[in-house]
């Protein structure tokens, strides 16, 4: 039996076989529903509200997640719900809001070209991120940045992190093909946007990204990345015809080199950019995301590593986490019994984005609502018990006109895990070099998340070392600047290859002391 499903507010509707998982229906029809954990029932990002005559029974896990009143009003998780009757599906504002693309753009208006890849024409440089893609159209003769655009990575429907997506690709060859198609389509859409609808004017394309993103784009097997030994099939830079992107006939694709399985060509591109302006001294470069890459530079030597920081800072795996989109709480200040917060787009609050999460954690600790071990005290007006869940209520139902914006004890634990992974990684890298944090002349924080956080909050919760403010810099999309150089200049491509080959990779997961250090850094 076929039924009709209509998604709101997008208005997308279509038929579905009775009994299909609602998340699958949404994927098939092209309706966006967040799926941070990839549909494994481990988050709340796929929360939707159903409207219809016969609501499906809530699954047992959903009865744990939603209150009785929420279940009564039709709240369910799309990955846990099979529908057998026609219905309307209201997608949560946490999920359907367009991501804010601040921090995706490169700030430079020109890239340096010593050895041009082409004497003239246009090229497209793409940073293929797990969360967003950022593209720059570059004049290959002058290096001028002609136009820029960014797009949410449409692969997000298969999970917010590379492990969810890679795991899905491994289990299901059809999904692997779909993940490749989504990446190709997104790059083609960016080419269309930045060229004003004339992508056939682009003759060169350069792409950087983490190894899983690159493998999926190139249609390579991800097994070696998703399972031990966590090694890429391809580490060297790679050139091939840029087919399928709708570019000029004969256009070429250049994919940047990797340092290791989880230190991808996006980090190499960021290093390429940073090494130009910071060729001396002792510095650390951190690109914070679902997987955080860290490089330590000292006396001309480069050591790189990655830490599994998870999706918490990108709004994933948290009760009310969301991307930086209208309605996302981005700053919190607690004054006595009350919390004041800033919301992106001056909208009603619907969730917390990464900078809001960091800010809230720092404030909860400062106000003594959370103790050093991360335990949430019960005797503050902002804290309540819901069943066996203790949570901070930032905005109640009356303020949101829907589910409240809350931050639970489990959310606090997830953020502690993320920040402890990053800090333990940095600690071990410093130890490996025989130095302490005070030896760092500079701490460079790259990436869109890194650009918008309050570094004081990151220091307050122990994610970054307590150094004077002048030693920190927020770089924004350094990978975007680096891939622009790789696109236009043979010398930059060679230099990127040298960086990837000569950087010493420190495998933190293989170090027996990582776990001990990680636990020690859980405290706030
Ligand atoms: S719980 Fe449904 S995607 Fe995570």
């Amino acid at each position: 039996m076929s039924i009709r499903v209509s998604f709101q507010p997008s208005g997308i509707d279509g038929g579905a076989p009775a009994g299909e998982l609602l998340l699958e229906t949404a994927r098939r029809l092209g309706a966006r529903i967040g799926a941070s954990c990839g549909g494994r029932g481990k988050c709340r990002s796929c929360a939707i509200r159903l409207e219809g005559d016969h609501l499906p029974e809530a699954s047992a896990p959903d009865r744990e997640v939603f209150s009785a009143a929420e279940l009564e009003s039709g709240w369910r998780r799309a990955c846990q719900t099979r529908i057998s009757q026609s219905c309307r599906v209201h997608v949560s504002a946490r999920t359907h809001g367009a991501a804010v693309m601040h921090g995706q753009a490169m700030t430079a208006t020109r890239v340096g070209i010593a050895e041009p890849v082409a004497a003239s024409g246009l090229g497209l440089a793409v940073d293929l991120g797990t969360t967003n893609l950022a593209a720059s159209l570059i004049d290959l003769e002058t290096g001028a940045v002609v136009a820029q655009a960014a797009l949410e990575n449409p692969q997000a429907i298969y999970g917010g992190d590379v492990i969810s997506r890679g795991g899905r690709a491994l289990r299901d060859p059809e999904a692997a093909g779909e993940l490749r198609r989504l990446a190709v389509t997104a790059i083609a859409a960016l080419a269309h946007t930045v060229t004003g609808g004339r992508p056939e004017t682009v003759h060169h394309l350069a792409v950087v990204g983490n190894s899983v993103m690159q493998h999926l784009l190139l249609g390579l097997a991800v097994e070696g990345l998703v399972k031990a030994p966590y090694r890429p099939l391809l580490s060297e830079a790679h050139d091939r015809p840029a087919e399928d992107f709708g570019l000029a006939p004969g256009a070429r694709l250049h994919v940047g080199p990797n340092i290791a399985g989880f230190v991808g060509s996006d980090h190499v591109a960021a290093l390429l950019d940073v090494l130009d302006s910071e060729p001396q001294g002792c510095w650390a470069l951190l690109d914070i995301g679902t997987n955080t890459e860290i490089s330590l530079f000292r006396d001309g030597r480069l050591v790189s590593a990655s830490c599994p920081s998870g999706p918490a800072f990108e709004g994933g795996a948290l009760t009310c986490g969301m991307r930086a989109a209208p309605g996302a709480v981005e700053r919190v200040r607690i004054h006595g019994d009350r919390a004041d917060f800033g919301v992106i787009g001056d909208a009603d609050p619907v969730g917390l984005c990464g900078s809001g999460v960091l800010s809230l954690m720092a404030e909860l600790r400062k106000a003594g609502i959370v103790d050093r071990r991360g335990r949430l005290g019960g005797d503050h007006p902002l804290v309540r018990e819901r069943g066996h869940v203790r949570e901070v209520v930032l905005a109640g139902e009356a303020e949101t006109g829907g589910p409240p914006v809350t931050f639970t004890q489990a959310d606090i634990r997830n953020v502690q895990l993320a920040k402890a992974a990053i800090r333990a990684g940095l600690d071990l890298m410093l130890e490996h070099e025989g130095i302490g944090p005070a030896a760092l002349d500079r701490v460079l924080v790259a990436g869109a998340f890194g650009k918008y956080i309050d570094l004081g909050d990151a220091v307050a919760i122990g994610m970054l070392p307590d150094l004077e403010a002048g030693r920190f810099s927020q770089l924004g999309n350094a990978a975007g600047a680096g891939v622009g150089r790789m696109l236009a200049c043979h010398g930059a491509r060679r230099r990127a290859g040298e960086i990837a080959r000569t950087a010493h990779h420190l495998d933190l997961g293989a170090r027996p002391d990582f776990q001990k250090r990680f636990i020690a850094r859980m405290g706030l």
Side-chain angles (χ1 to χ4, degrees), residues 243-275:
E243 290 163 344
D244 308 332
F245 299 97
L247 307 182
R252 301 288 299 172
L253 164 66
H254 176 81
V255 178
N258 299 310
I259 291 174
F262 289 103
V263 188
S265 59
D266 48 350
H267 193 64
V268 173
L271 285 167
L272 180 68
D273 191 53
V274 169
L275 279 163

Side-chain angles (χ1 to χ4, degrees), residues 23 34-47 77-80:
L23 188 62
S36 182
C37 73
R40 286 173 294 146
K42 295 192 183 308
C43 69
R44 257 174 83 144
S45 63
C46 63
R77 288 181 299 174
C79 73
Q80 303 295 309

Side-chain angles (χ1 to χ4, degrees), residues 289-290 309-318 321-322 352-354 357 411 414-415 418:
T290 53
S309 38
F313 292 130
E314 298 193 346
L318 300 179
M322 65 182 287
L352 281 151
C353 65
V357 167
D411 295 336
N414 278 333
V415 176

Side-chain angles (χ1 to χ4, degrees), residues 495-507:
R495 180 81 181 109
E498 262 168 44
I499 291 170
R501 271 192 307 280
T502 56
H504 174 74
H505 176 239
L506 197 58
D507 184 355

Side-chain angles (χ1 to χ4, degrees), residues 340-396:
D340 292 335
F341 44 81
V343 180
I344 295 177
D346 219 8
D348 286 338
V350 290
L352 281 151
C353 65
S355 57
V357 167
L358 207 57
S359 177
L360 176 59
M361 281 289 282
E363 286 290 298
L364 289 173
R365 179 71 193 106
K366 219 188 298 171
I369 301 170
V370 160
D371 69 15
R372 214 188 114 53
R373 295 176 65 182
R375 278 182 311 215
L376 187 56
D379 56 352
H380 191 279
L382 289 172
V383 180
R384 74 175 181 191
E385 305 277 344
R386 186 172 51 83
H388 54 267
V389 176
R390 181 173 286 183
E391 60 191 11
V392 176
V393 182
L394 262 191

